Structures are given as C-alpha cells and as structure tokens.
C-alpha cells in the first residue's frame, strides 16, 4: 500500500467475463455481485479487518467489541453507498483528486504498520485498556468495585507504584496518589474450579491472593498464562503464603451472554495447554460484576486481611507479577 515494494503479479487485475449490459438486475444477481466483490477484495480488506478484530477481542466487553466492528463496517460501507447514490458527481471528484486518493491508500498502509508495531511491542494492550477506561469513565463505582491500582515496572522505577483512592473509579496502573488508602474488602465468593475443587475467597485470609480474570479468546491473557503457571509452581502450589487463583466466565444455556466459551471448552483449553493452577468458573457472571471487570486480563491483589491491595488492567510480565506479589506480602503501597 505504501508503494515501497512493487510486484506485477500482486498488482494484476483479473475480471470475470460477465457482460453487465446483458443481465437484468434483481436481488439474486445483486447478491452474487456483492459476494464476488467482497471475495475479490479479501486481500485488500483482510489486514485492516484483522487489526479491527484484534482490537475487538481485547475490548472490555462484547458490546464494545461489536461497537468497534460496527464502526469499521460503517467506514467501509458508507463510501460505497455514496458512490452508488452519487455516481456521476463522485467519479468526477475522484478524477480531479486522484493524488488525494493515492495518499489515502498510503495513510492506510502507515496505520497498519503502526498497529503491527503496537502489537509486537505490547503497546496495543495499554491502548485498549485506555479505550476501556474511557468507556467506563462516566460510570460511578459501587462499593463492590474497588478502585486501587497495582504499580507497574515503569511506575516503580519512578519512586514506586501508585494506588488511587475510592473516589477515582477509573484508576489504572501507574497513576499517582497518596499512600494513605482506606481498606476495601474484596467481594467474597465461592466458586468451583476445573478440577471440581471449591474455592471461597474468605478462606484464604492470612495468605495473599493473586486473582486473575481472563478469557480463552484473549490474546494478552494467553501471553501471560505461562508466567502465571510458573509462578503458581514456584510459590508452592497455593500451599504457602501466596494463592494463585484465576476466574473464567463461561457461557451456558442459562447465561448465553457470558464472556467466554462453554465451561467444557474452557477446561479443554486449560488441559491442552498444561495449565494446572486453579481456574474458578463464574457461570453466572456475578463475581465479574462484583469486581467491575471491564478489560482482559485484569488482576487483583488481595492482602492477608482480605482487602483489595490493588489491580492492573493489562498483561503482566513475570517480573511485574513477582513485584506486586512481594509488595502485597510486605503490605507496602508506594505513594
């Protein structure tokens, strides 16, 4: 699209031997033309659509994902509708402004390269979390939706991480605030994991809980899961000071709008990938709602007294995991 690499084979146009002047237009013919057109444009549309789908799968909810896809669809369809309704005027416009159209194509190429760099470097996770934060900034936080933030590496390097007070419901990792924070009890729950074992959060008082909310379709979640498994093994398989616990939100006939695939499919995903740390099944979505989860992955740190120490809406590296676990063990919030 930038014109840097040129290939006659890739630039060659192929046309179907159809005489449009001999066909009478009807819905069936229109459908056939539409299908052929969309199929032929797959190489052109594919990269942009793929980028949109990646952003949609990282959205805070299915509604936000559908909104992103809907906006993309409008941006793709509206120009063609305009061409269909105002063919003569628009063709004259395009002829007069061919250079502008050429630069539009190049701008699309630059945008795709930028998104590729963001994906490779992990910036896309922060960007989607930022968009999720904008979507939830206008809502008020309930007492069950804690609003503290666990520090990231970058924040720790600037004099320590931050945790925000209850008046700032949209706080994210690395935002500055006072270290004097009121204690926020973590919403209690009782759920069953993939092995049939029951987990009640209040039973883990006296231990620090690493509580991770995730989904099987979430790419950022998948990238941090090997580190969570390794941490689970290194810290004593939940038999010592730290409990590693994840929560999934599988669909069911009764709850078809939950965030993930069916419970059996979640269990199969865990088994196929060798993840043995406990994943509790929130089949009703009540625990996700109680914690105000709006992006994947989201990780909460629960201290020994059962209070929320902080949370992060982003992919965590092993170094960051170790850092926030140690800070919670020490009861140390950096101001």
């Amino acid at each position: 699209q930038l014109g840097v690499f040129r290939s006659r084979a890739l630039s060659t146009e192929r046309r179907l031997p159809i005489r449009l002047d001999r066909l009478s237009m009807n819905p069936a013919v229109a459908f056939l033309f539409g299908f052929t057109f969309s199929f032929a444009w797959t190489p052109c549309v594919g990269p942009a659509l793929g980028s949109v789908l990646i952003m949609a799968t990282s959205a805070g909810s299915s509604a936000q994902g559908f909104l992103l896809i809907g906006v993309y669809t409008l941006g793709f369809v509206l120009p063609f509708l305009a061409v269909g309704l105002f063919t003569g005027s628009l063709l004259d416009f395009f002829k007069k402004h061919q250079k502008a159209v050429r630069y539009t194509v190049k701008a699309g190429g630059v945008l795709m390269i930028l998104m590729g760099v963001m994906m490779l470097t992990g910036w896309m996770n922060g960007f989607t979390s930022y968009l999720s934060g904008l979507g939830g900034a206008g809502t008020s936080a309930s007492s069950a939706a804690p609003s503290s933030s666990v520090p990231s590496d970058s924040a720790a390097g600037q004099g320590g991480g931050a945790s925000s007070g209850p008046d700032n419901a949209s706080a994210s990792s690395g935002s500055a605030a006072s270290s004097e924070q009121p204690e926020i009890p973590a919403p209690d729950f009782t759920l069953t994991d993939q092995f049939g074992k029951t987990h009640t959060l209040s039973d883990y008082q006296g231990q620090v809980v690493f509580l991770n909310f995730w989904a099987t379709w979430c790419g950022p979640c998948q990238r941090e899961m090997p580190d969570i498994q390794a941490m689970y093994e290194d810290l004593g398989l939940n038999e010592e000071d730290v409990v590693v616990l994840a929560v999934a939100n599988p669909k069911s006939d009764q709850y078809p709008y939950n965030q993930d695939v069916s419970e059996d499919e979640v269990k199969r995903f865990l088994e196929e990938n060798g993840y043995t740390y406990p994943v509790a099944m929130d089949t009703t979505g009540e625990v996700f709602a109680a914690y105000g989860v709006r992006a994947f992955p989201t990780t909460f740190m629960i201290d020994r007294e059962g209070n929320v120490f902080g949370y992060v809406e982003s992919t965590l590296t092993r170094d960051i995991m170790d850092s926030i676990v140690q800070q919670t063990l020490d009861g140390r919030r950096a101001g």
Side-chain angles (χ1 to χ4, degrees):
Q1 285 193 241
L2 291 176
V4 176
F5 304 102
R6 299 182 182 277
S7 168
R8 179 175 298 179
L10 295 177
S11 302
T12 301
E13 183 178 83
R14 304 295 182 186
R15 293 176 177 268
L16 296 175
I18 298 176
R19 292 288 302 273
L20 297 179
D21 56 343
R22 296 182 180 180
L23 290 176
S24 58
M25 187 53 62
N26 58 59
V29 174
F31 176 81
L32 178 62
F33 281 174
F35 176 83
T36 304
F37 175 82
S38 61
F39 179 79
W41 267 50
T42 298
C44 303
V45 179
L49 178 58
S51 300
V52 172
L53 291 176
I54 289 172
M55 293 184 68
T57 57
S58 300
S61 66
S62 55
Q64 290 180 7
F66 286 130
L67 177 62
L68 288 172
I69 296 173
V71 171
Y72 167 81
T73 304
L74 283 176
F76 184 77
V77 170
L78 289 178
F80 287 102
L81 287 176
V83 170
L85 294 173
F86 309 102
T87 303
S89 302
L90 283 175
L91 288 178
D92 290 339
F93 175 83
F94 289 147
K95 287 179 181 178
K96 293 178 181 178
H97 300 85
Q98 288 184 359
K99 290 185 178 180
V101 174
R102 186 165 61 248
Y103 289 130
T104 302
V105 174
K106 293 181 182 297
V110 171
L111 179 61
M112 283 190 288
I113 291 174
L114 177 62
M115 293 192 70
V117 171
M118 291 175 68
M119 289 166 54
L120 287 173
T121 59
W123 294 351
M124 182 64 73
N125 300 335
F127 181 66
T128 53
S129 295
Y130 172 73
L131 292 179
S132 298
L134 290 179
T139 60
S140 59
S142 67
S143 58
S147 52
S148 299
S149 165
V150 175
S152 65
D153 273 356
S154 59
Q158 299 170 4
S163 51
S164 61
D167 294 331
N168 184 7
S170 59
S172 60
S173 64
S175 57
S178 169
S179 60
E180 296 296 329
Q181 299 298 330
E183 293 181 348
I184 303 174
D188 198 12
F189 60 81
T190 299
L191 296 174
T192 303
D193 67 17
Q194 72 269 40
F195 304 113
K197 180 181 177 180
T198 299
H199 298 266
T200 299
L201 184 65
S202 56
D203 289 346
Y204 295 123
Q205 286 199 19
Q207 296 172 286
V208 162
V209 180
F210 179 95
L211 187 62
N212 178 259
F213 292 86
W214 70 291
T216 57
W217 47 261
C218 166
C221 303
Q222 295 174 17
R223 286 197 290 274
E224 70 177 9
M225 291 178 78
D227 286 331
I228 296 177
Q229 175 66 32
M231 183 176 67
Y232 168 68
E233 296 172 1
D234 293 343
L235 295 179
L237 305 178
N238 290 356
E239 297 296 330
E240 299 179 8
D241 288 337
V242 180
V243 171
V244 175
L245 180 62
V247 184
N249 184 217
K251 286 184 175 68
S252 64
D253 292 339
Q254 187 176 1
Y255 298 97
Y257 300 109
N258 284 354
Q259 299 286 343
D260 214 331
V261 294
S262 70
E263 184 172 344
D264 287 340
E265 290 173 297
V266 173
K267 293 178 180 178
R268 191 179 309 120
F269 172 88
L270 295 168
E271 183 178 0
E272 290 175 351
N273 288 280
Y275 299 131
T276 59
Y277 60 87
V279 176
M281 303 296 169
D282 179 18
T283 56
T284 66
E286 293 177 359
V287 177
F288 271 66
Y291 280 82
V293 176
R294 60 187 182 184
F296 293 116
T298 294
T299 300
F300 284 81
M301 292 304 305
I302 315 299
D303 66 19
R304 297 179 187 273
E305 288 71 43
N307 298 313
V308 174
F309 186 82
Y311 73 95
V312 179
E313 292 180 331
S314 183
T315 306
L316 301 177
T317 64
R318 178 61 193 272
D319 288 342
I320 296 178
M321 292 179 191
D322 291 341
S323 175
I324 61 178
V325 166
Q326 190 60 51
Q327 289 181 50
T328 311
L329 286 168
D330 295 342
R332 172 174 54 85
R333 278 193 181 92

